[in-house]
Amino acid sequence: MKLLEGKAILVTGAGGGIGRDFALAMAAAGASVLVNDIGTSVKGEGSDAGPAQKVADEINDRFGGSGARAIANTDSVAHWESANNIVKTAVEAFGRLDVVVNNAGILRDRFFFNMSVEEWRAVIDVHLNGSFYVARAAAPHFKSQESGCYIHMTSTSGLVGNLGQANYSAAKLGIAGLSKSIALDMAKYHVRSNCISPFAWSRMIGSIPTETEDQKARVEKLKAMETAKIAPLAVFLASEEGRDVTGQIFAVRANEIFLMSQSRPLRSVHRAEGWTPETIGAHAIAALRAHFYPLERSQDVFSWDPL
Ligand code: NAI
């Protein structure tokens, strides 16, 4: 019995990069897979039905004989109606839906002070709104069958920080909050929700600006991180083996897997008579300052080379 035998899984943005490897690994583990992708550029401009169909064909060629089955879908995650159609298509094709992987994504990097409203909206629509739309469209199925699994893609750009990605960081940290909320709200229906924060050399990372020598050296190291290295954790989470894992944020970078922290009070100070702005400066901030977080970026925290 394969790990995902009999399961029906929907992977958004599965026409390339990390999502393609998710779809292939899940089909190899016995699942039927809806391969969703609008086939757009990293910036989310244009569309092409080719990538989703190519991955679905590859799955059917390689695994079709063993009962796995893939279909392609080119609806956008970024609108409520089309997101509903992704879920509807999966349920109609497979007769059920067991796992939703919210993986589709775009980038519109720009320093905050220059970021346009359009750049903000485009990224929030695909990542945060898109993850909500697809997850919400699947929720009635998960609720009525009293089982289901969500896997959402977050990023250390949001969890830790990065330059020039205010839209993306806000969306990705928002997805962490969305995942935790789903895990809480749907626990009584045995529905699980977790996040994966990947590090992988995909065309998305290829768009990181490499102007300085430091940036160039960093990107060379990133090339060693294969997209396929993220898939085993997703397959585990999707399977019954992961049945008691929910509300967590994992990071995967080549052969390393991390459990990421979630925000908790770090220190507290108390004054029985209450605070004034002056005593806050002299006492509270003086006491808390030693524990302030530096203005770190993802690369400052993940400061060693991928293993
Ligand atoms: P990618 O650009 O190779 O793949 C993203 C896919 O999403 C593309 O095939 C694209 O056509 C599709 N897509 C874009 N907008 C869509 C829409 N509205 N509806 C349906 N599909 C759409 O990128 P990659 O690297 O594979 O990223 C996958 C996920 O992992 C993304 O959510 C990304 O933010 C996240 N991630 C990736 C990291 C990395 O190191 N590659 C780091 C942190 C997060």
Side-chain angles (χ1 to χ4, degrees):
M1 181 89 172
K2 290 183 178 169
L3 220 46
L4 299 178
E5 202 77 59
K7 289 203 185 284
I9 298 182
L10 173 176
V11 186
T12 70
I18 296 167
R20 174 179 170 274
D21 283 304
F22 281 170
L24 287 166
M26 289 186 178
S32 295
V33 184
L34 178 136
V35 178
N36 160 267
D37 206 299
I38 60 169
T40 191
S41 72
V42 175
K43 286 186 158 188
E45 289 159 344
S47 62
D48 177 1
Q53 192 58 55
K54 202 166 162 237
V55 174
D57 289 346
E58 186 178 349
I59 288 174
N60 288 326
D61 285 350
R62 285 173 61 182
F63 311 111
S66 59
R69 195 155 69 98
I71 56 163
N73 168 277
T74 54
D75 282 301
S76 174
V77 301
H79 306 283
W80 174 232
E81 293 74 18
S82 48
N84 266 278
N85 205 47
I86 301 172
V87 171
K88 191 166 155 262
T89 306
V91 172
E92 280 175 6
F94 306 134
R96 57 181 297 117
L97 184 61
D98 300 287
V99 181
V100 165
V101 185
N102 271 324
N103 169 78
I106 62 166
L107 288 179
R108 296 275 177 96
D109 292 358
R110 182 99 55 204
F111 279 112
F112 173 69
F113 42 84
N114 290 326
M115 185 171 287
S116 69
V117 171
E118 155 63 13
E119 287 163 339
W120 170 264
R121 280 205 186 121
V123 168
I124 298 288
D125 276 348
V126 175
H127 289 277
L128 184 56
N129 291 337
S131 295
F132 168 78
Y133 294 148
V134 179
R136 176 64 185 80
H141 299 282
F142 285 1
K143 184 166 172 274
S144 64
Q145 74 195 17
E146 298 215 9
S147 71
C149 167
Y150 292 104
I151 299 168
H152 315 271
M153 304 306 276
T154 185
S155 169
T156 56
S157 292
L159 300 170
V160 178
N162 205 5
L163 287 171
Q165 293 195 312
N167 46 6
Y168 184 72
S169 299
K172 288 308 206 186
L173 200 50
I175 286 172
L178 171 68
S179 175
K180 180 70 188 279
S181 299
I182 295 171
L184 286 168
D185 285 356
M186 297 197 75
K188 62 182 168 200
Y189 303 111
H190 314 292
V191 174
R192 301 178 292 111
S193 182
N194 293 285
C195 284
I196 299 178
S197 180
F199 295 83
W201 178 255
S202 70
R203 64 176 199 169
M204 196 175 264
I205 297 297
S207 75
I208 289 178
T210 48
E211 279 147 29
T212 66
E213 285 309 311
D214 185 40
Q215 284 169 338
K216 280 185 193 147
R218 177 174 171 242
V219 163
E220 276 313 305
K221 285 175 199 154
L222 295 180
K223 283 186 183 172
M225 308 178 306
E226 297 163 33
T227 52
K229 296 277 187 182
I230 318 297
L233 177 62
V235 172
F236 169 83
L237 290 172
S239 77
E240 293 308 310
E241 298 297 307
R243 63 186 164 270
D244 62 348
V245 181
T246 190
Q248 304 306 312
I249 305 171
F250 300 95
V252 184
R253 192 176 72 147
N255 296 321
E256 298 167 284
I257 295 180
F258 309 87
L259 176 66
M260 298 299 287
S261 63
Q262 299 187 35
S263 196
R264 297 289 181 276
L266 191 59
R267 310 289 299 181
S268 72
V269 285
H270 169 259
R271 262 177 111 95
E273 71 277 24
W275 296 94
T276 65
E278 290 74 19
T279 57
I280 285 174
H283 176 183
I285 297 301
L288 299 176
R289 187 183 300 281
H291 307 278
F292 277 10
Y293 290 94
L295 269 183
E296 286 168 331
R297 293 172 292 166
S298 174
Q299 68 188 82
D300 301 317
V301 171
F302 291 86
S303 54
W304 66 102
D305 291 349
L307 303 172

